[in-house]
């Protein structure tokens, strides 16, 4: 197994959401599944969260 950096992207009605994390996995497919599972675990166990970084550009 190797440490892999995974970026997941979800297109939502009002924008795009990205989840970036690092996981241990033996393949790209395993890395994606591990990242998805980690995201779901984070959302189930967190009471409150906020964005801590941002960028604003003219559209």
């Amino acid at each position: 197994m190797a440490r892999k950096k995974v970026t997941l992207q979800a297109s939502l009605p009002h924008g795009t959401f990205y989840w970036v994390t690092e996981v241990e996995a033996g393949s790209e497919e395993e890395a994606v599944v591990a990242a998805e599972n980690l995201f779901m675990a984070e959302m189930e166990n967190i009471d409150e969260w906020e964005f801590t970084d941002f960028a604003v550009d003219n559209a």
Side-chain angles (χ1 to χ4, degrees):
M1 288 218 201
R3 193 92 179 141
K4 298 186 183 294
K5 182 177 180 180
V6 181
T7 302
L8 301 176
Q9 175 184 326
S11 297
L12 305 173
H14 298 287
T16 304
F17 182 82
Y18 292 90
W19 168 254
V20 182
T21 191
E22 292 184 6
V23 296
E24 292 286 334
S27 69
E28 285 188 12
E29 185 175 305
E30 287 179 15
V32 169
V33 171
E36 290 173 338
N37 290 337
L38 186 58
F39 175 77
M40 295 304 292
E42 286 287 339
M43 291 297 102
E44 287 177 4
N45 294 322
I46 196 163
D47 292 331
E48 185 176 314
W49 65 278
E50 63 184 52
F51 292 103
T52 58
D53 193 14
F54 62 88
V56 179
D57 299 310
N58 291 330

